[in-house]
Amino acid sequence: MSNENKTPGSGCNQDSCNTSGKNQDDKSQFPSGENLRQRMSRVKNKILVLSGKGGVGKSTVAVNIAVSLALAGKRVGLLDIDIHGPSIPKLLNLEKRKIEATEFGITPTGYGDNLKVMSIGFILQGEDEPVIWRGPMKYGVIKQFLQDVVWGELDFLVVDSPPGTGDEPLSVAQLLMEVGGGIQAVIVTTPQELALTDVRKSINFCRQLSIPILGVVENMSGFICPRCGEASEIFKTGGGERMAREMGVPFLGSVPIDPQVVDASDSGKPYMYHYARTETAKAFGRVIRPILEMGSSADMDDLERTLSQVPPVEEEKTMEKPVMKIAIPVANDRLAMHFGHCEQFALIDVDPSTKRILKQDSVQAPEHQPGLLPAWLKEKGANIIIAGGMGSRAQSLFTQNGIKVVTGAPGDEPKKLVESYLAGTLKTGENICDH
Ligand code: ADP
């Protein structure tokens, strides 16, 4: 046997789990293909989650789609066929689960009331062992997962494929097409051009196989700083949406980069359950809505109701919704050019995700004392100051206090200044105090 034909670490301990890829139907009671047809005829919708590249959050999206559908009362199966990097057991903290084989087939692992999970990870020996399988072996094991796992009646089977357009997505797509289809694809990407190039291949892959595309998800789309609430476009934003438009496929929505998504993954807690009330969960919800509405729009109401009732397991640990608080030194209702001698400060709260002004307060400035204002404004919660003139020492004190400094702003009304700052049209001139 050549090295490529060995299955180091495959460690399948199930009698019924024949990973040779040959004679898969020998033991079945039906003629070839009939077992698969029988099993899959009980699954209404099959959702294939694809990505052009690894690391874009495909498995994270797959898990959160499956968990959300289950929370909405749907009967859901989650199948992980990422043979070279199965991550579903880790994402759901199921790594120690063993699967069982009975005379009826392989019993999937249960997760909550409505979700059944099967992963190639359950039958591999060690997570550090590489799997070296040829295409036909992959085809064989994927076929077994579809036909020999006791899925029962399902509303949705969510399939997490490895990145790219290789043997695994091809096998699962061909197998499901052979037995009547009902398969649709969700394609996950990040917004930068490098990822988009690969995702175009995934779209063409679906087109060649006549798999309808439910839509594209732009994951890791912008980052909202939990400290200052400011949005940064780390991998850019909007690239996935533009690409979807150009290629004529639906855009399902975008999900920001959120450190809590990583915490959730690393601790095996599905984000949509444990962080159900966050802005990022709402973004996931918007992406998942069209999938749920394949059932009926009432399902989305069910999900929203369920999520609002989810006990706030992690809520004490979650950050409050970030708010951008912009401070502006004011004299005679306008920006005071020398910030150290102003009468008041306007404090303007902005929702960083919508860039809408939430409220505006005015506070009396404290007695002038050198070096006092940065700490005083930090205590008031400010994270940005828009000023006319400011000396370099004061600027560095603000920066040390985590407050971003914008200098050289004109002597306009505070609200107008904030609006133009948010729109990116604030014209800043010379900083008259920076000498
Ligand atoms: P893939 O399946 O595409 O390889 P994963 O779902 O395994 O990607 O995600 C890769 C890493 O990125 C994981 O650590 C995951 O927690 C993290 N991740 C995914 N989506 C986000 C997000 N929106 N914000 C922050 N981290 C994310």
Side-chain angles (χ1 to χ4, degrees):
M1 194 189 269
S2 80
N3 194 33
E4 275 185 307
N5 274 336
K6 288 182 197 154
T7 58
S10 67
C12 177
N13 53 7
Q14 306 304 322
D15 291 343
S16 71
C17 192
N18 166 14
T19 55
S20 72
K22 291 176 195 158
N23 302 323
Q24 293 295 304
D25 292 305
D26 288 354
K27 283 185 275 175
S28 62
Q29 69 219 77
F30 298 109
S32 177
E34 200 47 40
N35 255 3
L36 179 63
R37 194 179 309 280
Q38 291 275 332
R39 198 74 85 185
M40 287 297 117
S41 68
R42 303 176 71 193
V43 178
K44 279 195 207 140
N45 302 289
K46 292 109 185 171
I47 311 281
L48 187 56
V49 184
L50 298 170
S51 70
K53 278 185 114 46
V56 298
K58 171 188 50 61
S59 301
T60 307
V61 169
V63 159
N64 284 291
I65 290 176
V67 167
S68 301
L69 293 169
L71 283 168
K74 299 286 150 195
R75 292 159 304 175
V76 186
L78 174 59
L79 173 58
D80 175 10
I81 55 163
D82 195 341
I83 288 170
H84 300 283
S87 47
I88 299 295
K90 169 119 187 93
L91 290 172
L92 290 174
N93 195 19
L94 297 173
E95 289 153 296
K96 299 216 165 61
R97 294 280 181 99
K98 291 269 175 277
I99 50 163
E100 273 175 38
T102 69
E103 58 184 305
F104 304 109
I106 304 169
T107 312
T109 283
Y111 191 88
D113 291 340
N114 298 334
L115 182 58
K116 293 175 178 171
V117 184
M118 184 65 212
S119 166
I120 187 82
F122 294 147
I123 59 165
L124 298 177
Q125 259 168 4
E127 58 181 88
D128 299 331
E129 290 288 319
V131 177
I132 308 167
W133 287 354
R134 282 185 186 280
M137 298 175 77
K138 293 178 184 172
Y139 181 88
V141 81
I142 290 168
K143 186 171 185 185
Q144 275 200 294
F145 279 169
L146 294 173
Q147 77 175 15
D148 292 342
V149 171
V150 187
W151 294 111
E153 297 279 342
L154 292 183
D155 296 305
F156 291 92
L157 177 65
V158 179
V159 182
D160 181 23
S161 307
T165 52
D167 289 323
E168 297 87 334
L170 184 62
S171 301
V172 80
Q174 281 177 339
L175 284 161
L176 291 174
M177 300 302 264
E178 267 171 35
V179 294
I183 170 173
Q184 301 197 61
V186 168
I187 301 179
V188 183
T189 184
T190 45
Q192 74 273 39
E193 193 47 47
L194 213 60
L196 296 174
T197 307
D198 287 322
V199 99
R200 288 186 183 95
K201 291 185 199 154
S202 302
I203 293 176
N204 288 330
F205 168 87
C206 292
R207 286 188 170 146
Q208 275 168 24
L209 293 171
S210 305
I211 301 171
I213 299 171
L214 260 166
V216 169
V217 180
E218 180 174 306
N219 189 30
M220 308 201 203
S221 172
F223 172 68
I224 297 176
C225 171
R227 279 199 310 133
C228 75
E230 194 164 359
S232 317
E233 298 188 352
I234 293 182
F235 297 135
K236 302 189 179 168
T237 54
E241 183 169 12
R242 244 185 341 272
M243 183 273 306
R245 210 179 318 116
E246 278 161 24
M247 303 254 332
V249 295
F251 180 66
L252 292 174
S254 49
V255 177
I257 298 177
D258 184 336
Q260 289 182 322
V261 173
V262 183
D263 289 346
S265 308
D266 287 355
S267 54
K269 294 174 174 170
Y271 189 89
M272 282 302 274
Y273 184 75
H274 288 275
Y275 298 82
R277 300 184 197 173
T278 59
E279 287 301 303
T280 304
K282 283 190 196 145
F284 269 124
R286 282 191 288 275
V287 163
I288 291 158
R289 178 183 285 268
I291 303 171
L292 256 179
E293 287 181 351
M294 285 163 61
S296 82
S297 55
D299 294 336
M300 197 64 204
D301 300 340
D302 282 350
L303 174 62
E304 275 160 9
R305 203 171 315 113
T306 311
L307 289 179
S308 70
Q309 288 161 6
V310 167
V313 184
E314 291 295 318
E315 204 151 73
E316 16 3 299
K317 278 205 263 159
T318 65
M319 292 161 289
E320 279 177 19
K321 189 176 168 206
V323 169
M324 198 191 270
K325 197 181 267 292
I326 304 179
I328 298 181
V330 175
N332 299 323
D333 298 331
R334 288 171 176 268
L335 178 136
M337 294 315 281
H338 291 277
F339 95 100
H341 302 283
C342 66
E343 299 161 3
Q344 292 121 14
F345 275 91
L347 291 175
I348 298 183
D349 287 1
V350 174
D351 178 338
S353 46
T354 59
K355 301 209 166 159
R356 282 187 35 211
I357 292 182
L358 301 171
K359 70 173 174 135
Q360 176 170 351
D361 292 326
S362 174
V363 287
Q364 200 61 37
E367 290 274 305
H368 181 65
Q369 271 180 47
L372 171 76
L373 279 174
W376 182 79
L377 281 172
K378 181 187 178 186
E379 204 187 281
K380 297 261 173 274
N383 33 46
I384 298 175
I385 178 162
I386 299 181
M390 187 186 296
S392 51
R393 181 163 173 273
Q395 286 185 43
S396 68
L397 280 176
F398 274 113
T399 310
Q400 281 164 29
N401 278 282
I403 299 176
K404 178 176 169 179
V405 181
V406 179
T407 59
D412 287 337
E413 287 168 10
K415 185 161 176 264
K416 192 170 162 208
L417 289 170
V418 167
E419 282 167 351
S420 46
Y421 173 72
L422 295 171
T425 56
L426 179 67
K427 290 210 169 42
T428 50
E430 202 189 341
N431 175 2
I432 50 169
C433 297
D434 199 10
H435 39 68

